[in-house]
Amino acid sequence: MEPTDSTARTPLTLVTGLDRTASARITLAMHAPGTATVSTDLRNLDSGTVVQVVHRIDADGVDHLSVDDVHLEHGCVSCTLRLSLIPLLQELHRDPSITQIVLALDPALEPEKIAQEIRSRAGDDLAIVDTVCGVDAGSWLTAATGEITLAEAGLSIGEDERTLAQIAVAQIRFADAIVIEGADSAGGAWELARLHSVLIRLAPAAGMRTLNSQQTLDAALLAGLRASETAASPHGRPRRPFDPLLAGQPALEEDCGVALMTFEASRPFHPERLHEALDVLLDGVVASQGRLWIASNPDDILWLESAGEALGIHHVGHWLAARPDGDADPEHRLAAALYWDQTHGDRHSSISVLCHRSTPEAVHAALTAALVTDAEFSRGPDFLADLPSPFGTGHQDPCDDFPVTDRDDRTYSTDNSEGETR
């Protein structure tokens, strides 16, 4: 179910971040009478359990603490959280002594996917008011630009090939408020300024506070931070493929070697040359995202997303020009009106790229060279659609993760270390 406008919904705040200690401090600062805090801990996955901690403070200020081991449902973390976490949150919603809920997520979880699940299954009971993300100043940027997997970092087990970079970037992009801790461990003023440059370009609409190791994160500071949130930040709303890529009006000028650029093209990518060009997004780039028009997939909207040295491309729908019924959401219709061409309709490519060692000029040149040439374009749509393509199709079990959008099950992924489709 989608959220309603009912005022009876219980406010819910998500707390996220790679640093477990920072998340704990944020959560502690939100403890108050009428608050219930739910924490998820995936560190016991190898024993087949997820630990859920519920800390309630009633109106009289009396603490109630419970710790439960929730057994994995057929070995699936997502199904376990879906079947145990959502009912627990709804139970707290029905408790008249609870006026707000704080959900502290394990570092391996992406808040957007949790929010999607809560909105779809408990939207009439819970209102996600904001997401607060904790950042360790000394380690975040290294994690967000690397190739270390969650399993290698000890945050997950088994065949989970997601990287710290993918999780770190996803957590920041979905944040309404960001707490940077340990500013004096960043390595110096320039390194801290560079971290700020990255964060304010990933989440330009979010409120932000920076603390050194001697400063305390308390309720007053956190309240001030949350008051600085803007209406343009997500506030629990999952992204859609046709949302503005530069939502929140991030700065485009270079700062401390960090620069945000956009790439726009009104002709398709050549599939093989795009495959070769993707390396430019895996070296010296913090993150990229955007819509792709690939010659061999003329009707498909493909969504590209990278973080550090990992990249994925997913099918997210069809161009409006390829839909006989013309059915599309308002964001898609608005974008179609902006990009419409009499011959190709709304087909286009639009990508934002956040560079920190690479340059916008190098990225732009590599992507431009991957577009079809005038000679190829002149041979017509049948020739373009028949071009050999390395972008195969593969199945992604819905149990592997919560869905972010109405994507189908096709995906292409690569990383800089292996350089292969899998």
Side-chain angles (χ1 to χ4, degrees), residues 12-360:
L12 172 64
T13 293
L14 304 181
V15 177
T16 188
L18 290 181
D19 190 287
R20 198 181 298 273
T21 302
S23 293
R25 281 196 282 263
I26 293 169
T27 303
L28 182 61
M30 297 185 68
H31 280 321
T35 300
T37 298
V38 179
S39 300
T40 60
D41 191 330
L42 305 184
R43 284 178 289 186
N44 287 340
L45 283 181
D46 54 354
S47 63
T49 59
V50 174
V51 179
Q52 287 185 351
V53 180
V54 181
H55 184 189
R56 312 183 196 203
I57 306 179
D58 63 26
D60 297 326
V62 178
D63 285 359
H64 304 272
L65 183 67
S66 64
V67 180
D68 295 302
D69 289 337
V70 181
H71 292 282
L72 289 179
E73 293 285 343
H74 51 268
C76 173
V77 174
S78 296
C79 290
T80 301
L81 293 176
R82 182 181 298 119
L83 295 174
S84 65
L85 179 60
I86 303 299
L88 172 59
L89 295 176
Q90 291 176 310
E91 176 187 334
L92 294 171
H93 156 73
R94 292 189 291 269
D95 187 335
S97 68
I98 300 302
T99 58
Q100 68 166 342
I101 302 173
V102 180
L103 175 56
L105 301 175
D106 186 273
L109 296 175
E110 299 171 54
E112 182 177 9
K113 297 180 179 182
I114 298 294
Q116 174 80 345
E117 191 70 12
I118 292 171
R119 284 168 59 93
S120 64
R121 293 178 179 268
D124 284 341
D125 299 331
L126 304 165
I128 301 175
V129 292
D130 60 0
T131 299
V132 184
C133 183
V135 169
D136 175 66
S139 62
W140 187 89
L141 190 55
T142 298
T145 55
E147 61 179 350
I148 297 175
T149 67
L150 294 187
E152 291 170 339
L155 295 181
S156 186
I157 61 173
E159 300 300 319
D160 191 344
E161 294 185 349
R162 293 176 302 155
T163 66
L164 285 179
Q166 290 173 302
I167 303 302
V169 169
Q171 290 169 343
I172 291 297
R173 284 199 191 277
F174 202 64
D176 303 293
I178 300 171
V179 179
I180 304 171
E181 293 205 326
D184 42 350
S185 68
W190 188 87
E191 288 78 6
L192 183 61
R194 184 172 67 144
L195 173 63
H196 283 150
S197 296
V198 169
L199 293 176
I200 63 177
R201 285 163 175 78
L202 284 176
M208 191 178 301
R209 293 289 186 277
T210 303
L211 308 177
N212 62 39
S213 58
Q214 304 302 311
Q215 293 175 295
T216 301
L217 174 60
D218 56 20
L221 187 147
L222 188 57
L225 169 61
R226 297 176 72 189
S228 69
E229 298 172 2
T230 70
S233 62
H235 293 286
R237 178 186 178 273
R239 291 172 297 162
R240 299 180 181 181
F242 282 92
D243 285 348
L245 296 181
L246 300 180
Q249 299 180 330
L252 297 179
E253 65 272 13
E254 183 270 340
D255 182 30
C256 296
V258 177
L260 180 63
M261 62 158 287
T262 58
F263 178 85
E264 304 279 350
S266 57
R267 65 174 59 199
F269 282 108
H270 187 289
E272 291 181 318
R273 289 201 296 272
L274 175 61
H275 180 246
E276 295 172 357
L278 289 177
D279 281 350
V280 77
L281 301 178
L282 301 175
D283 185 15
V285 169
V286 179
S288 63
Q289 63 177 358
R291 299 174 292 271
L292 302 179
W293 173 21
I294 298 179
S296 56
N297 303 73
D299 294 339
D300 296 334
I301 305 168
L302 300 179
W303 177 259
L304 175 147
E305 194 157 12
S306 77
E309 298 183 32
L311 177 149
I313 295 176
H314 306 271
H315 177 274
V316 292
H318 296 93
W319 299 109
L320 190 61
R323 299 183 179 185
D325 58 7
D327 184 32
D329 59 37
E331 294 85 2
H332 189 170
R333 288 187 174 279
L334 177 59
L338 293 174
Y339 290 100
W340 196 265
D341 174 86
Q342 290 300 317
T343 302
H344 306 292
D346 57 324
R347 296 176 178 88
H348 70 281
S349 291
S350 183
I351 309 168
S352 67
V353 183
L354 180 57
C355 305
H356 74 110
R357 290 196 313 271
S358 183
T359 65

